[in-house]
Amino acid sequence: MGKDKLMNFTALYNIGKFSWNDALINAKNFFNSLGIQANLVFYQEVLPLEKQEFDDGIREVSISELENIIESSKNIRGISLVFQKEDSPRWDLNFHYYFDILYPEQNYLIIEYSDEFKSINDSNFLLNVVNDISKSSYISYGFSCQLPYHGVKSYSYIDSQTSFVPVFSYENTNLWTTEVPSYLNDGIAPRRYLEGMLRLVYRYNFIVQKHLNRIIQGIKLQDWIHSDSSHGFLTQLANGLWCWEVEQENLEKVNQACYQADLLISYKVPSPERKKRKLP
């Protein structure tokens, strides 16, 4: 059997001063950086409540039509640029931005690309994409990880800002569901990631100074990261955003340390292994 494909998944939350035009420009740049042209384009229309039960408001359009809609209408709550190969069971590339005018706190940006286009280990590519976005916005929090490629059209359409599938065995995705504004909680949620907490520590974590000032083992997180190479390293991006990168083999120990420092939202204490009973 061959190796399962993986989808590189990046989520950015609470993006300030980011217009629909900014989103479209960054989406185009993302596809251009891969040398690929989007072959599916969508936007989501804001509909009256009485129509939402039968219509999700998602419309397929061309790039030029989307440009005109962005220029002439404020009646938008999401846009997606997508590439899907003919033989693919799901989308291979996706740049999706969502902003709900009814719940302004409910905004996020999702980027997905299968590992055949770029490996998640290509940090230069990922950091360049996120840095370009942060140049025209203020990102409060985000992360990047890998998820199974198969199963769904796109992770950005499964309660995008809430959950999808757990990345780690010690991850409780339900704890994140109540943390982020969504239709599930009428846009009212704690949003502790704005006060320096993390969903979990992933391969790449997009954080700001509030995160770096949190205390772990008696010192600031920023100093703790610098204190040991196994804690990862920091790269400064635009507009106060940092990328905290942690090698895959160190993630479990780093998550344990951050959980003990009360920095994590979705950490699930692993169940102790049951001892096997010997038959008499």
Side-chain angles (χ1 to χ4, degrees), residues 77 94 236:
R77 61 164 33 137
N94 177 28
Q236 188 169 12

Side-chain angles (χ1 to χ4, degrees), residues 12-229:
L12 305 174
Y13 298 93
N14 209 74
I15 306 169
K17 296 186 177 180
F18 195 61
S19 68
W20 290 114
N21 193 52
D22 290 331
L24 183 56
I25 289 170
N26 278 278
K28 288 179 177 179
N29 289 342
F30 167 69
F31 278 88
N32 289 339
S33 67
L34 291 168
I36 294 172
Q37 187 171 357
N39 57 10
L40 293 169
V41 179
F42 303 95
Y43 82 98
Q44 188 172 12
E45 184 181 355
V46 178
L47 297 173
L49 286 174
E50 62 270 16
K51 292 186 178 181
Q52 291 180 16
E53 184 178 352
F54 307 101
D55 187 350
D56 59 12
I58 296 174
R59 314 286 185 241
E60 185 172 353
V61 293
S62 67
I63 283 280
S64 58
E65 287 172 331
L66 182 58
E67 289 171 342
N68 291 333
I69 290 166
I70 285 174
E71 287 294 324
S72 61
S73 175
K74 295 181 180 179
N75 201 31
I76 306 171
R77 61 164 33 137
I79 65 170
S80 290
L81 267 64
V82 173
F83 174 75
Q84 183 174 7
K85 294 189 297 185
E86 287 186 11
D87 60 344
S88 177
R90 59 152 291 157
W91 295 350
D92 296 283
L93 302 169
N94 177 28
F95 189 107
H96 174 71
Y97 178 59
Y98 183 92
F99 177 85
D100 194 329
I101 58 174
L102 298 177
Y103 305 113
E105 298 84 5
Q106 185 183 343
N107 74 87
Y108 56 84
L109 193 152
I110 302 295
I111 301 169
E112 301 170 293
Y113 52 97
S114 63
D115 60 345
E116 67 179 285
F117 292 96
K118 280 289 181 180
S119 166
I120 196 168
N121 295 317
D122 190 341
S123 59
N124 287 334
F125 171 76
L126 176 62
L127 266 59
N128 284 337
V129 170
V130 175
N131 192 51
D132 284 346
I133 295 167
S134 64
K135 286 177 183 177
S136 56
S137 65
Y138 292 94
I139 299 168
S140 299
Y141 174 59
F143 61 86
S144 188
C145 61
Q146 286 189 317
L147 297 168
Y149 174 84
H150 53 81
V152 294
K153 177 182 279 190
S154 165
Y155 290 113
S156 69
Y157 282 99
I158 312 178
D159 272 344
S160 328
Q161 73 275 44
T162 55
S163 188
F164 23 85
V165 292
V167 179
F168 306 115
S169 60
Y170 48 83
E171 179 172 12
N172 183 345
T173 58
N174 291 331
L175 295 175
W176 188 246
T177 300
T178 58
E179 195 68 36
V180 183
S182 74
Y183 70 90
L184 298 172
N185 50 37
D186 293 327
I188 301 171
R191 297 194 299 160
R192 288 176 293 168
Y193 50 89
L194 300 183
E195 301 303 323
M197 294 191 74
L198 311 168
R199 174 174 168 151
L200 278 183
V201 180
Y202 297 96
R203 184 77 170 79
Y204 302 94
N205 308 273
F206 299 104
I207 58 178
V208 296
Q209 201 61 47
K210 279 193 176 182
H211 299 98
L212 293 170
N213 288 342
R214 293 294 292 255
I215 302 301
I216 176 172
Q217 297 177 356
I219 58 177
K220 289 182 178 181
L221 177 61
Q222 186 165 5
D223 297 326
W224 184 82
I225 294 169
H226 291 314
S227 70
D228 191 313
S229 60

